[in-house]
Amino acid sequence: VQKVMDANREAGTGSAMRRMFRNRGGQGGGGGQGGGGRGGMFGTPSPEEDALQKTIDDNAPTGQIKDALSKYKKAHKEKQAKLEAAQAELKKVLSVKQEAQATLLGLVE
């Protein structure tokens, strides 16, 4: 169960919520504030997510955004594969009833 929870967190579950609730504050000078409020109940953003968000916030050229987006998607796919492997491993040791409960909890699909 812990492997699934860790992989789920790494796969970016909650990243949309992080972005929705993040402190947009002042760009540039507000650096001291930014790091402390990040993470919380929605997890910590990946370096790829941070880089992509920075290119968007900085109105970077299209090529830079495409590059950051490609790196983000690649990292996300790798993390998703790790999550699916952890879920498959968990399913092997669960009874049907436990799998049903784990599905309702969002641990497995």
Side-chain angles (χ1 to χ4, degrees):
V1 173
Q2 188 63 47
K3 283 184 182 181
V4 171
M5 292 174 64
D6 292 343
N8 201 6
R9 188 173 35 259
E10 287 178 24
T13 302
S15 63
M17 296 300 287
R18 253 195 321 276
R19 285 190 297 278
M20 192 164 69
F21 289 106
R22 80 182 191 146
N23 179 0
R24 287 212 173 251
Q27 291 182 0
Q33 261 181 341
R38 306 277 316 239
M41 70 178 170
F42 301 117
T44 303
S46 68
E48 298 84 9
E49 183 179 343
D50 277 341
L52 178 57
Q53 187 63 57
K54 184 170 177 8
T55 62
I56 294 167
D57 290 346
D58 293 347
N59 290 319
T62 301
Q64 264 186 292
I65 294 173
K66 282 184 178 182
D67 183 50
L69 179 59
S70 175
K71 289 176 183 176
Y72 172 80
K73 286 181 176 181
K74 181 182 178 198
H76 184 72
K77 283 181 184 178
E78 290 170 357
K79 291 172 185 174
Q80 189 65 33
K82 184 178 175 182
L83 171 60
E84 289 170 7
Q87 288 174 329
E89 188 178 325
L90 177 59
K91 283 183 187 182
K92 289 178 185 177
V93 299
L94 297 177
S95 69
V96 173
K97 182 177 180 179
Q98 288 171 328
E99 183 178 344
Q101 291 171 323
T103 300
L104 289 174
L105 291 172
L107 292 172
V108 297
E109 294 182 3

